[in-house]
Amino acid sequence: MNEVRTRFAPSPTGWLHIGGVRTALFEILFAHHHGGEAILRIDDTDQDRLVPDAISGLIEDLSWVGLHFDEGPSNEEIPLDANGRASGMGIGGPFQPYTQSLRLHRYREIAEQLIGLGCAYRCDCTPERLQEERAEQAARKDPLGYSGFCRDRHVSSQVPHVVRFKIPQDRSMVLADAVKGDVRWDPIILRDPVLLKSDGFPTYHLATVADDHDMRISHVLRADEWLSTAPLHLLLYETLGWDAPVFAHLPPVLGTDGKKLSKRHGATFLRTFREAGYLPEAILNFMALIGWSPGDGEEEEIFSLAELTRRFTLERVNNAGGVFSYEKLKWMNGVYIRSLSAPDLQARLRPFLISANLPIDEDKLGRIIPHIQPRLELLPDAVPLVAFLFTDRIERDMSAMLKKGMDAGTASAICTKAAEQLASLPAFDAASIEAALRRVAEESGAKSGPVFAVVRIAVTGKTVTPPLFESIFALGRQQSVHRLNETVDILKIG
């Protein structure tokens, strides 16, 4: 295969959609599998829909999820944020600029070239005239679209106008799609679409074709929804005498109801998943399996980015849509959390604990990490499990403590003995703590289960926590003894 160059061209009109993550991932996997380059390009020609800071947000989101491009907007191309600061996340490359609003002269040049070839023309139809045309077409039950009124009017360049492409009459087209196979349009049903708007900005059709040619894009992997535009793009390549890239229209990302994934199914933006505590590695692994399979009979589902790159081919991209299962993503996220080293998990939990206003003690957190790690599916799941470590005052579920034959006097005696045992331990570690509390049970003449339940609520405030002995060790001797004695005082008052 010749040089492989792919591109991901998001519009900065908001946060990055999870479907866009899948497209960007496939672009990178395919390019790098073949030793090529993946390019990030910003499609910001729709100026009315631009969102401030969206470009830096897109780049930051892509970086967080682990999608790194070989070429893309330089630091000079990325607008400053609301505070006048540069993002510092630029990429650069030999085909700068990679932001379409900075390439307007090129699009105007090509539009004039097409007019000169007699394949495009200026149109000065007003919005009112276009609306009247559509109304008349609807009344006649004709297909809606531009009538071609200005095709032979030779509209002057000195009046406000758009530039339209002249669709050949009775023309058919076949696209050899790398995913769908041959797709036919016989005839092409298009009505002289606009290439250049009256404000001098191109439409998507002109900009993407021009940039893909200029940046030597060899393969266009894009969402299935763009398939209907393929005939126009192929006609533009043909008219301009350019070689068209290989097109691969990717299957849609569907909800479990078989409909296109949308907010009615749940979260759809990458940033929302990030804030919910998903790991970038899990997101990439999961998204790779939506519409692509590693091989016939392959049951393995956990793949690193390097392994995905090694295995990825367009031949294994499915034509049918792939289902996005939130439950499966959560399961996969738990698998990845359990595979992290303790220091790595501690670092990833820190922002969520800070967000919960917990004053973190790194030593305590480090001691409890191995004991909560198996329980986590999402990073914020750790907050209720460790909150008892980072507060001076806890709320105890006393009703849960005083049940099944456990009265206040017995519970008070257990807490008193437990405090004495822990205070006198020569070595304060989980094994010594377990031995001490088992002695408390023996001396109390009670079963260990009810005794441990009393101590757990006294020390942590909850009935369900990380393992008891490890929780006490993580909290520390002084605070554990203090909370046991505090519980004795509460029981006396009660």
Side-chain angles (χ1 to χ4, degrees):
M1 186 176 290
N2 296 328
E3 180 187 32
V4 171
R5 290 174 59 82
T6 64
R7 51 74 169 167
F8 177 57
S11 297
T13 55
W15 288 353
L16 180 61
H17 192 276
I18 196 69
V21 173
R22 200 273 304 266
T23 300
L25 172 62
F26 282 14
E27 303 267 9
I28 290 175
L29 293 179
F30 180 75
H32 291 175
H33 176 84
H34 292 285
E37 291 81 35
I39 291 86
L40 175 64
R41 194 169 69 217
I42 302 300
D43 180 357
D44 65 340
T45 57
D46 189 347
Q47 295 287 292
D48 293 336
R49 298 178 60 226
L50 296 187
V51 173
D53 298 334
I55 295 178
S56 57
L58 281 167
I59 294 175
E60 199 273 334
D61 279 349
L62 290 166
S63 177
W64 173 81
V65 83
L67 293 176
H68 302 291
F69 291 86
D70 304 289
E71 300 172 22
S74 64
N75 286 329
E76 291 73 23
E77 293 181 54
I78 304 172
L80 302 178
D81 65 18
N83 297 313
R85 295 187 297 252
S87 70
M89 294 183 292
I91 306 169
F95 296 99
Q96 296 184 75
Y98 293 88
T99 302
Q100 290 184 331
S101 61
L102 302 178
R103 301 173 62 82
L104 300 186
H105 67 285
R106 176 59 171 154
Y107 309 132
R108 293 171 186 148
E109 175 185 277
I110 296 173
E112 290 298 325
Q113 181 182 352
L114 289 167
I115 291 172
L117 291 170
C119 299
Y121 58 93
R122 297 183 179 90
C123 168
D124 64 354
C125 290
T126 63
E128 292 76 18
R129 175 177 177 80
L130 296 175
Q131 185 175 359
E132 184 179 336
E133 271 193 1
R134 287 191 293 271
E136 292 173 354
Q137 290 166 348
R140 295 193 303 266
K141 298 183 179 180
D142 290 341
L144 300 183
Y146 183 61
S147 67
F149 176 75
C150 290
R151 269 195 170 205
D152 300 310
R153 291 183 60 236
H154 305 293
V155 173
S156 170
S157 62
Q158 302 306 308
V159 301
H161 66 275
V162 300
V163 175
R164 292 182 179 274
F165 185 69
K166 190 180 292 184
I167 297 292
Q169 300 297 310
D170 301 321
R171 176 70 187 274
S172 61
M173 183 71 68
V174 178
L175 170 68
D177 191 278
V179 170
K180 294 181 171 297
D182 286 350
V183 182
R184 298 178 179 275
W185 291 268
D186 191 12
I188 298 171
I189 303 177
L190 291 172
R191 295 289 196 91
D192 291 4
V194 173
L195 298 181
L196 197 68
K197 294 176 283 188
S198 59
D199 61 1
F201 278 78
T203 60
Y204 167 79
H205 311 295
L206 176 59
T208 194
V209 168
D211 289 349
D212 285 349
H213 169 74
D214 290 352
M215 297 177 185
R216 302 207 315 267
I217 301 303
S218 66
H219 292 74
V220 172
L221 282 64
R222 60 185 186 179
D224 185 79
E225 64 195 56
W226 292 111
L227 181 61
S228 63
T229 69
L232 171 57
H233 298 174
L234 291 174
L235 284 171
L236 283 169
Y237 280 109
E238 179 185 288
T239 303
L240 292 163
W242 297 341
D243 292 333
V246 175
F247 284 90
H249 288 88
L250 306 176
V253 179
L254 307 175
T256 52
D257 59 359
K259 297 180 180 178
K260 186 177 178 180
L261 188 71
S262 68
K263 60 184 180 182
R264 71 175 177 272
H265 297 105
T268 57
F269 295 114
L270 176 63
R271 188 155 300 196
T272 308
F273 288 96
R274 177 180 180 177
E275 292 170 351
Y278 288 90
L279 303 187
E281 302 95 319
I283 292 173
L284 290 184
N285 189 158
F286 178 74
M287 294 309 298
L289 298 176
I290 298 180
W292 173 83
S293 61
D296 295 335
E298 175 68 72
E299 296 183 0
E300 178 62 41
E301 293 185 295
I302 305 301
F303 300 103
S304 67
L305 189 59
E307 181 65 9
L308 288 171
T309 302
R310 187 183 71 80
R311 289 173 174 249
F312 188 85
T313 64
L314 289 177
E315 288 76 15
R316 296 203 176 278
V317 175
N318 303 319
N319 192 5
V323 174
F324 188 105
S325 167
Y326 291 87
E327 287 304 312
K328 184 170 182 179
L329 174 57
K330 185 182 287 188
W331 164 81
M332 187 172 286
N333 201 64
V335 172
Y336 272 90
I337 286 177
R338 290 188 287 278
S339 72
L340 297 176
S341 68
D344 190 0
L345 177 56
Q346 184 166 341
R348 300 195 197 210
L349 289 178
R350 194 174 296 120
F352 294 92
L353 301 179
I354 292 172
S355 180
N357 297 316
L358 294 177
I360 305 170
D361 181 313
E362 296 292 349
D363 290 336
K364 290 180 178 180
L365 182 58
R367 289 195 290 267
I368 204 66
I369 285 288
H371 309 293
I372 64 170
Q373 190 167 9
R375 304 183 180 202
L376 305 181
E377 285 189 308
L378 300 172
L379 294 176
D381 293 347
V383 173
L385 295 176
V386 304
F388 75 95
L389 294 173
F390 308 120
T391 180
D392 292 331
R393 300 180 63 83
I394 60 173
E395 295 293 329
R396 296 173 176 84
D397 188 353
M398 302 304 289
S399 62
M401 178 186 293
L402 303 177
K403 66 178 185 179
K404 296 182 180 178
M406 181 65 64
D407 56 36
T410 304
S412 179
I414 289 171
C415 290
T416 299
K417 292 178 181 179
E420 293 171 351
Q421 286 284 343
L422 296 181
S424 63
L425 282 177
F428 196 78
D429 54 48
S432 301
I433 292 167
E434 179 179 4
L437 294 182
R438 292 194 182 280
R439 285 194 295 273
V440 170
E442 292 175 5
E443 293 172 5
S444 302
K447 293 183 178 180
S448 59
V451 170
F452 294 166
V454 169
V455 174
R456 185 186 303 277
I457 294 172
V459 173
T460 70
K462 298 181 180 297
T463 57
V464 179
T465 63
L468 175 60
F469 315 123
E470 287 76 6
S471 294
I472 293 173
F473 169 63
L475 183 63
R477 186 199 305 263
Q478 182 176 348
Q479 276 190 287
S480 297
V481 170
H482 170 75
R483 289 184 181 182
L484 286 164
N485 289 329
E486 186 178 58
T487 303
V488 171
D489 292 339
I490 292 172
L491 289 167
K492 287 179 181 177
I493 294 172

